[in-house]
């Protein structure tokens, strides 16, 4: 299990929080366990309620595809694992 730092920007951009995430669990439940306010509904990557902006870093989706911030801006936190230090922006 690898631990990565994640900088979380809140929607109002006035608050920033730094947290640690592990690569063995999807990002959504880890943020919820840390009391980070993030939307969720289906938890299967369908509804996009948990969508966040990937500012910096790499994640791997539930199908094993690597996604980096240069390739894709928006990610669904319920179906991606952190694979590097991250910086994300929560959406309203």
């Amino acid at each position: 299990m690898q631990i990565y730092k994640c900088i979380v920007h809140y929607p109002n951009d006035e608050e920033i929080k730094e947290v640690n995430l592990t690569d063995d669990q999807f990002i959504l439940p880890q943020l919820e366990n840390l009391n980070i306010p993030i939307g969720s509904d289906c938890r299967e990557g369908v509804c996009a309620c948990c969508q966040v902006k990937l500012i910096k870093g790499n994640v791997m989706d539930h199908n094993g595809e690597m996604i980096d911030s240069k390739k894709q801006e928006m990610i669904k936190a319920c179906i991606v694992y952190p694979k590097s230090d991250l910086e994300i922006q929560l959406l309203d």
Side-chain angles (χ1 to χ4, degrees):
M1 173 178 66
Q2 185 75 29
I3 298 173
Y4 298 109
K5 292 203 179 299
C6 179
I7 298 171
V8 180
H9 296 265
Y10 282 73
N12 60 15
D13 225 11
E14 293 175 12
E15 187 175 352
I16 297 173
K17 193 174 228 179
E18 186 173 308
V19 297
N20 291 323
L21 302 177
T22 61
D23 68 350
D24 63 344
Q25 191 177 26
F26 291 130
I27 292 173
L28 176 63
Q30 294 187 74
L31 293 178
E32 289 174 330
N33 289 338
L34 294 165
N35 296 316
I36 307 283
I38 182 169
S40 67
D41 190 22
C42 74
R43 298 182 175 273
E44 296 176 0
V46 177
C47 72
C49 287
C50 65
Q51 190 164 270
V52 298
K53 182 177 180 180
L54 180 62
I55 298 169
K56 182 180 175 184
N58 302 310
V59 296
M60 183 175 70
D61 73 11
H62 64 296
N63 292 320
E65 181 181 343
M66 290 298 290
I67 300 166
D68 67 45
S69 56
K70 295 175 186 134
K71 184 164 81 170
Q72 183 172 333
E73 271 193 359
M74 305 306 286
I75 58 171
K76 296 174 184 172
C78 69
I79 58 168
V80 295
Y81 301 95
K83 289 299 175 184
S84 72
D85 290 338
L86 300 175
E87 190 168 351
I88 61 173
Q89 169 80 48
L90 302 176
L91 305 178
D92 285 330

